[in-house]
Amino acid sequence: MSSIPPPPESNEPSSIHPPTPPEPEGGDAVEREPDEAPQKPRKRVGVIVAISLLTAGLIGLGVGLTLTFLELQRAVALIEEQQQELEDQRELIDQKETFSQAATEMMAAAAVFDGLPFSTLVDRSYHETLIERGWTHRWNPTVLRHDIDDVRAETAVLRELAASAEAERASNASGTYYEKITDQLGQGFISTVLDVAPCGKEAWGCVSGDDPFTVYYDHAGTIGQPYMTDFIRAGVAYHEYAHVLQFSNPEQTAVALESFDGNVEHMADCYALTYLNGWKLDHRIWVGSYTYWDISVGYGYTCNSSQRQVIRDWVASLNYEHQPISQ
């Protein structure tokens, strides 16, 4: 059997080539263009690597810039937070100092009333409350501002009260003996009101518990009467001033009233009998050589020496005692 020999081994791919034309005679070789095989494009590895590195660098730069920006933002936020804390602390310190100054001014205004025989004229318990509130709110500047306003308002009230008393002492607006005696007794802190008294027809004067620092007198009803003398007016004023003391010192008065069986009018009469020299409840007023008036002023009971000592002890216990209030 015949066999077809295997093709020669070759590493080149197999192909079918056209026959090679014969060379011309004479040995002259004819130049022939070599076969131009297609060439594969060459990869620019260096450029690609450079671009890749540049891209990676830009990305790294972007990440770095982003991190730097975020860190800057955090730093700015921290600085702003710290600045706000400093401002808050500065404001708190200022508010504390302002409250302390306001409280000092309030206590100085209250000191003007030291020794006055009116326990309720100055509300010490309210002052203690105001200062206690300031201490409680010392870490809260917003609430502390309200406390400062309240302290300043109370200071204004005290100053106005003292100024009004000074003006009252310096003048006699009604020009009456009633007001003169009342201003002397009350040191200007007691107001005198004439002819609008809610006292009733039988009373020449009265004091209301709703307004214990005002004394009402029936001046018009007695101004033309021959029996009404300045001495009798003084006795009426002393009696009514005793009511002022009773209303403005309720605790001390409750103790003293036990010696008068709880009768505030007998106690007021006893005050006048104790402190107005020559005063008595029954008067004979001569208006001519043979004409006189018998006048009874008061409630018909003349207190004894023991009761008069109770009045003296009572008066000695009546005073506003100014003391500092610690914060």
Side-chain angles (χ1 to χ4, degrees), residues 178 182 192-197 204-205 215-219 236-237 240:
Y178 279 132
T182 302
T192 299
V193 178
L194 304 179
D195 304 325
V196 292
W204 287 345
V215 178
Y216 298 90
Y217 294 106
D218 180 14
H219 180 64
V236 173
E240 299 307 329

Side-chain angles (χ1 to χ4, degrees), residues 224-247:
Q225 299 298 330
Y227 56 77
M228 183 56 69
T229 65
D230 283 346
F231 187 55
I232 291 180
R233 291 188 180 94
V236 173
Y238 270 73
H239 177 99
E240 299 307 329
Y241 181 67
H243 287 319
V244 171
L245 296 179
Q246 289 171 340
F247 283 124

Side-chain angles (χ1 to χ4, degrees), residues 184-197:
Q184 289 176 358
L185 291 171
Q187 302 181 52
F189 290 95
I190 311 302
S191 299
T192 299
V193 178
L194 304 179
D195 304 325
V196 292

